[in-house]
Amino acid sequence: MDADEKQSETYPLRRRRVAQALLQDRRGLLVVAGLGSCAWDITAAGDDPLNFPLWGAMGGASAIGLGLALARPESRVLVITGDGEMLMGLGSLATIAIQAPPNLAIVVFDNERYGETGMQPTHTAFGADLPGVAKASGFPVTGQVDDQGGLDAALPVILKAPGPVFFNIKVRAEDLDFVLPPKEGVILKQRFRQALLGET
Amino acid sequence: MSEWADDIFNVLIEAGVRQVAYVPDMGHKRLIERCNADERMTAVLLTTEEEGVALLAGAWLGGERGVLLMQSSGIGNCINMFSLTRSCELPLLMLVTMRGQWREFNPWQKPMGRNAKKLLTTAGFDVEVVSKPGAAAETVAEAAEGVFKNNCRTAVLLHQKLTPKKTFGK
């Protein structure tokens, strides 16, 4: 195995702080989180009815974000997912690029690990280039963030720029406490629709 | 040809369906063309059918109704993603053109075609079958009403004899 086992343990950005930075001034932002660590990250930043954290559906986070962005063109939709989850649904990047919803941003917290299954290296640990895939699929705005300066520059693009936007944020591989959202899917659905639409 | 597809299109419009997710399919060719040509519809070309299951979950969270079009070979691509739909009790309407059941030239279509109804039932779907073109509109209309009123999951299987025969030039 050629992956550099140590590299991702020295990336400076910490995923919980990145989630906090993305969500601290969220006003009306609709957030979908891929299963596992990203669902815990957005919950640690503050549980919210307009969060839709996934407990399964691996590979589906970005497509859920697309359906939501098409349905609510006046709202900003942010998908936060992991590198492993994104790798399982790469085709959805090509699908999103065709529809090109300007209100959709996809952010990958890339720790180069399958965090929920024992921190095994993902394809990004071996060099797979997720923003490269997004760009080649037709995303007009793509980028990679490696440090705090990069994050500061990317935040307004992720939250406001006409998209679809795709950013890959390299984050430290670290074991963190679980901060769990509700796990009943019906509750997650109903509270989301109630907050957004006024009906369940 | 495929007047049933026009009937289904009208039913979908009437039912308020606005996102139409599809993997290109000969049997659904006419319906896909109608949806792409109509400004009221957003037709979403997928790379694989499971994307459509996820897409329509997002659509419903945003207050929009959708439909997923596929041929029977696509069912297997969706099985795990159906857990999302079922766990959250999301509505899902699927229109499935059948392969592997009627003068099928390609034996590799048989395994999914033969097991389509069984797999969908196991995954928690109600399954309706349309064998005559004249029954398509009413069946889809009833299915759509049930799906969106009661947050349930229904697949309408369109028998292979409704669709053009594929012969691979033989």
Side-chain angles (χ1 to χ4, degrees), chain B:
Chain B
M1 198 204 79
S2 294
E3 286 175 13
W4 58 266
D6 294 321
D7 295 341
I8 290 177
F9 176 80
N10 293 333
V11 164
L12 293 177
I13 288 284
E14 188 70 20
V17 168
R18 292 298 175 263
Q19 291 193 31
V20 181
Y22 68 97
V23 171
D25 167 56
M26 186 64 78
H28 278 313
K29 186 168 185 286
R30 171 76 182 164
L31 180 56
I32 290 167
E33 286 168 356
R34 291 293 310 269
C35 293
N36 267 303
D38 195 293
E39 287 184 354
R40 291 168 290 184
M41 298 284 204
T42 301
V44 180
L45 172 62
L46 310 167
T47 70
T48 177
E49 291 82 356
E50 67 177 303
E51 280 173 17
V53 179
L55 178 94
L56 297 183
W60 183 253
L61 288 176
E64 241 175 29
R65 297 178 176 192
V67 66
L68 175 54
L69 312 180
M70 67 174 75
Q71 64 171 247
S72 46
S73 52
I75 294 167
N77 292 349
C78 296
I79 295 290
N80 185 53
M81 203 60 77
F82 287 152
S83 305
L84 164 69
T85 309
R86 197 164 174 179
S87 296
C88 299
E89 291 184 19
L90 297 161
L92 181 55
L93 175 64
M94 303 199 314
L95 307 182
V96 181
T97 52
M98 292 301 298
R99 296 289 305 269
Q101 63 178 177
W102 180 260
R103 298 183 297 180
E104 176 63 60
F105 186 86
N106 180 355
W108 292 30
Q109 289 284 354
K110 289 274 183 191
M112 284 306 298
R114 185 179 290 146
N115 292 301
K117 188 170 183 177
K118 193 190 300 179
L119 289 165
L120 288 165
T121 303
T122 302
F125 279 78
D126 293 324
V127 178
E128 303 291 339
V129 177
V130 173
S131 301
K132 293 191 168 63
E138 184 184 21
T139 306
V140 174
E142 290 293 325
E145 184 173 338
V147 160
F148 296 118
K149 272 194 179 159
N150 303 318
N151 285 336
C152 60
R153 291 146 293 286
T154 300
V156 177
L157 306 186
L158 301 163
H159 196 282
Q160 193 166 1
K161 64 191 175 187
L162 270 62
T163 62
K165 186 181 177 189
K166 191 171 182 181
T167 60
F168 298 86
K170 302 288 180 187

